[in-house]
Amino acid sequence: MIRRVCVVGAGVIGSLYAAHLARVAEVSVLTRREEHARALAEEGLQVSGRHEFSASVAAAADPAALGDADLVILATKGIEVDAAASRLRGRFPGAAVMTVQNGLGAEEIVQRHGPWPLVSAVTFMSGTRHSDTHVEYILDTATWLGPYGGTPFELVREVAELIVASGLRAEAFPDLRPAQWSKLIFNATVNSVSALTGLPHDAHFAAREHVSDLGHLVHDLVDEGKRVAAAAGVALHDDPWEMNVLATQRGSAHYPSMLEDVEARRPTEVDLITGALVREAERTGVAAPLHTAMYRLVKAREASYS
Amino acid sequence: MIRRVCVVGAGVIGSLYAAHLARVAEVSVLTRREEHARALAEEGLQVSGRHEFSASVAAAADPAALGDADLVILATKGIEVDAAASRLRGRFPGAAVMTVQNGLGAEEIVQRHGPWPLVSAVTFMSGTRHSDTHVEYILDTATWLGPYGGTPFELVREVAELIVASGLRAEAFPDLRPAQWSKLIFNATVNSVSALTGLPHDAHFAAREHVSDLGHLVHDLVDEGKRVAAAAGVALHDDPWEMNVLATQRGSAHYPSMLEDVEARRPTEVDLITGALVREAERTGVAAPLHTAMYRLVKAREASYS
């Protein structure tokens, strides 16, 4: 029975989980910055957009200042997982840890820091962070969860039910990999193309009329990703090309996080997203020249910051 | 005997030709902007850097205001060739026209506007434009020239000798294509990679230590270009990979024009450079997936301006 949840990282996704779950559980938030924790503890979390409410949460920048938990949701960026998990060492002995990063490999990293049962998740929610204590809930799409390693499916179901009870959408799968890989291929394609071209995820990504149209490249990248998935023995849950076309038909174009990262000259998650796909291609002996090219281009873009 | 030269376009390359040639010929400059022509006619052209001198030139923004010429040097950007050549229609009946644009295809465009004998050229000079009447001469590398269509080689040699007499470096080749294609492959690779990554042409372009290193992609792009050249029946004059390595070993990293273009949110020459290579690949039935990807990415980057 999950009564106490600790959310690690209060960006958009962490804030949305923390505020909603605070309506059905006792929620604490572990932040990186001291003043962020202070603001959350004093003002609580305000949600606007699709849902409008405020929630009270406990918060600290020091894990020792937080009580125990039954569930830890690790909601940092992928590149921060290692540092965040190392801060949890020896803490939360009775908790399961849920990862929700883009790409592949967050679970392996967490596993190196403690013996917690692990829940894999991918989320399609989106929002905008207006301040340390105010998040706007934009796309109310689901979080998908699955067991990792020997975690019992019953525990995954319980987490999914708690998230649904809190007002968010969630679904538990006995095997998350088909969904995780659909999102991986989608993300590797859309994020890297967006980061390099400066285009938000708009109609250009589906255009295949002229030879110079971007949709041809997007389609080729998706096809390459599908060949890697097949070689890895994964039958995809959704077709990433259809996900791409559907997403570009929404009213307003989404700004992929990797585009925001390169525009702010921050490190991106490319190693965990495109890099993961390239490593899987290498492991399974499948050629992935286009994703490998995108990987090197985004890494070089990062190198241009200095 | 070439006594009168008209230079069309007074960017870096046009200004360097005009100023130097004014020391050995009668030079007029055709500009796009009226005030540019006025400034050149009043103040002349100042050269600094490797050479230091001032030159007097005639100048006008209206071709009808210029006298006849024996040689017209079309020194506009590739994307301006069609407009520039159309302004020459019916003019300069006794002149040969020399093109010096990056990529392929400028000669075909000029040919549609008049019956002038054509001289193909590629130049490796570089400089910086400090004002409408002041250009700094930086890299004193050569201009290579060759006949186009039925142009006699003797005429090409005469043009090369005039350029050399003016103080610049030049060499005439009976067949320019081997040199032109070496530069095409080099430019298609370096310019598109630079435009997408934001990196000037620096040591990253030759690095091949780690799997994520950019040099692997640069090498793959060069190899793909070589396969297209071979299919087109062209034996390259220089190995573009060696050109790349040598250039990155110079002291200061060069800013490729396509990087300057995307940073200023201007249209690039990608259609004439990478686009030309992609069209040649299509024509000769050679696969060019990486250059095709770069072409679509740069076109999408241009689409992001609006």
Side-chain angles (χ1 to χ4, degrees):
Chain A
M1 171 75 189
I2 303 172
R3 289 181 305 105
R4 299 163 304 175
V5 179
C6 176
V7 177
V8 180
V12 169
I13 300 300
S15 298
L16 288 171
Y17 284 131
H20 285 84
L21 287 167
R23 310 199 286 191
V24 294
E26 203 176 292
V27 169
S28 62
V29 178
L30 179 61
T31 65
R32 227 173 18 180
R33 288 175 295 118
E34 196 60 71
E35 73 269 27
H36 192 178
R38 218 159 26 234
L40 287 171
E42 281 168 17
E43 300 168 32
L45 256 167
Q46 187 200 340
V47 177
S48 63
R50 287 191 180 256
H51 295 162
E52 305 261 354
F53 66 97
S54 289
S56 293
V57 294
D62 175 2
L66 295 174
D68 205 359
D70 308 305
L71 173 67
V72 172
I73 299 180
L74 201 61
T76 65
K77 288 227 163 201
I79 49 177
E80 291 156 11
V81 166
D82 196 39
S86 80
R87 298 174 68 204
L88 305 182
R89 259 179 194 274
R91 301 273 314 151
F92 307 114
V97 175
M98 166 178 146
T99 57
V100 70
Q101 283 66 33
N102 284 325
L104 297 178
E107 301 91 338
E108 283 89 336
I109 295 172
V110 175
Q111 205 167 231
R112 291 203 294 268
H113 295 285
W116 314 282
L118 295 172
V119 175
S120 296
V122 294
T123 187
F124 297 89
M125 303 195 288
S126 80
T128 300
R129 203 173 173 286
H130 292 290
S131 77
D132 273 359
T133 58
H134 175 197
V135 63
E136 183 184 347
Y137 184 25
I138 296 179
L139 281 186
D140 65 343
T141 27
T143 299
W144 288 344
L145 304 92
Y148 183 82
T151 304
F153 185 52
E154 204 36 60
L155 172 60
V156 177
R157 270 234 283 259
E158 203 188 329
V159 175
E161 280 160 16
L162 186 77
I163 294 173
V164 170
S166 83
L168 297 171
R169 294 171 58 191
E171 199 173 342
F173 294 87
D175 180 2
L176 188 65
R177 293 204 312 158
Q180 204 169 23
W181 272 77
S182 290
K183 191 171 182 200
L184 173 69
I185 295 168
F186 173 86
N187 263 331
T189 301
V190 171
N191 268 283
S192 60
V193 169
S194 176
L196 294 172
T197 61
L199 284 173
H201 191 202
D202 65 11
H204 291 95
F205 285 68
R208 291 194 291 164
E209 195 184 341
H210 306 291
V211 71
S212 64
D213 281 348
L214 190 61
H216 294 294
L217 173 61
V218 172
H219 198 271
D220 290 347
L221 284 164
V222 166
D223 273 354
E224 208 178 85
K226 285 180 183 172
R227 286 194 291 274
V228 180
V234 177
L236 297 176
H237 185 276
D238 298 83
D239 181 333
W241 172 254
E242 285 170 22
M243 292 167 72
N244 167 64
V245 172
L246 275 174
T248 60
Q249 288 167 348
R250 277 193 216 117
S252 64
H254 176 64
Y255 262 76
S257 63
M258 219 181 271
L259 174 57
E260 294 182 334
D261 288 337
V262 301
E263 289 191 342
R265 301 171 80 85
R266 283 189 302 251
T268 72
E269 295 185 314
V270 73
D271 269 313
L272 294 151
I273 302 176
T274 304
L277 197 58
V278 167
R279 287 186 293 275
E280 282 293 309
E282 175 73 27
R283 187 181 68 80
T284 56
V286 172
L290 292 175
H291 280 289
T292 304
M294 301 302 279
Y295 180 48
R296 290 166 176 158
L297 288 168
V298 175
K299 293 295 285 181
R301 181 71 175 265
E302 291 182 352
S304 80
Y305 303 160
S306 55
Chain B
M1 171 74 187
I2 303 171
R3 288 182 306 102
R4 301 162 303 173
V5 179
C6 175
V7 177
V8 180
V12 169
I13 300 300
S15 298
L16 287 171
Y17 283 130
H20 284 84
L21 287 167
R23 309 199 286 188
V24 292
E26 203 177 292
V27 169
S28 61
V29 178
L30 179 61
T31 66
R32 226 172 21 181
R33 289 175 295 119
E34 195 58 73
E35 73 268 29
H36 191 178
R38 216 159 29 232
L40 286 171
E42 282 168 18
E43 301 167 32
L45 256 167
Q46 188 201 340
V47 177
S48 63
R50 287 189 181 259
H51 295 162
E52 306 260 353
F53 66 96
S54 289
S56 293
V57 294
D62 175 3
L66 295 175
D68 205 358
D70 308 305
L71 172 68
V72 172
I73 299 181
L74 201 61
T76 66
K77 287 226 163 203
I79 49 178
E80 292 157 10
V81 166
D82 196 40
S86 81
R87 299 174 67 204
L88 306 182
R89 259 181 195 273
R91 301 272 314 150
F92 306 113
V97 175
M98 165 178 146
T99 57
V100 70
Q101 282 67 32
N102 283 325
L104 297 178
E107 300 91 338
E108 283 89 334
I109 296 172
V110 175
Q111 204 166 232
R112 291 203 294 266
H113 295 284
W116 312 283
L118 294 172
V119 175
S120 296
V122 295
T123 185
F124 297 87
M125 300 196 289
S126 79
T128 300
R129 202 174 173 287
H130 292 291
S131 77
D132 272 0
T133 57
H134 175 198
V135 64
E136 183 185 346
Y137 184 24
I138 296 179
L139 281 186
D140 65 343
T141 28
T143 299
W144 289 344
L145 303 91
Y148 183 83
T151 304
F153 183 53
E154 205 36 61
L155 171 59
V156 177
R157 270 232 284 258
E158 203 189 331
V159 175
E161 280 161 16
L162 186 76
I163 294 175
V164 169
S166 83
L168 297 171
R169 293 172 58 191
E171 198 173 342
F173 294 86
D175 181 1
L176 187 66
R177 294 203 315 156
Q180 204 169 24
W181 272 76
S182 291
K183 190 171 184 201
L184 174 69
I185 296 168
F186 173 86
N187 264 331
T189 301
V190 171
N191 269 282
S192 61
V193 168
S194 176
L196 294 172
T197 62
L199 284 173
H201 190 203
D202 65 10
H204 291 96
F205 284 68
R208 289 195 291 163
E209 195 184 341
H210 306 291
V211 71
S212 64
D213 281 348
L214 190 61
H216 294 294
L217 173 61
V218 172
H219 198 271
D220 290 348
L221 284 163
V222 166
D223 273 354
E224 208 178 84
K226 286 180 184 174
R227 286 194 292 275
V228 180
V234 178
L236 298 178
H237 185 276
D238 297 83
D239 182 331
W241 172 254
E242 285 169 23
M243 292 166 73
N244 166 63
V245 172
L246 274 175
T248 60
Q249 288 166 349
R250 274 192 218 120
S252 63
H254 176 64
Y255 262 75
S257 64
M258 220 182 269
L259 173 58
E260 294 182 333
D261 288 337
V262 300
E263 289 191 342
R265 302 171 78 85
R266 285 190 300 251
T268 72
E269 294 184 316
V270 72
D271 269 314
L272 294 152
I273 302 176
T274 304
L277 198 57
V278 167
R279 287 187 293 274
E280 282 293 309
E282 175 74 27
R283 187 180 68 79
T284 56
V286 172
L290 291 175
H291 280 290
T292 304
M294 301 301 280
Y295 180 48
R296 290 166 176 158
L297 288 168
V298 175
K299 293 295 284 181
R301 179 71 175 266
E302 291 181 352
S304 81
Y305 303 160
S306 54

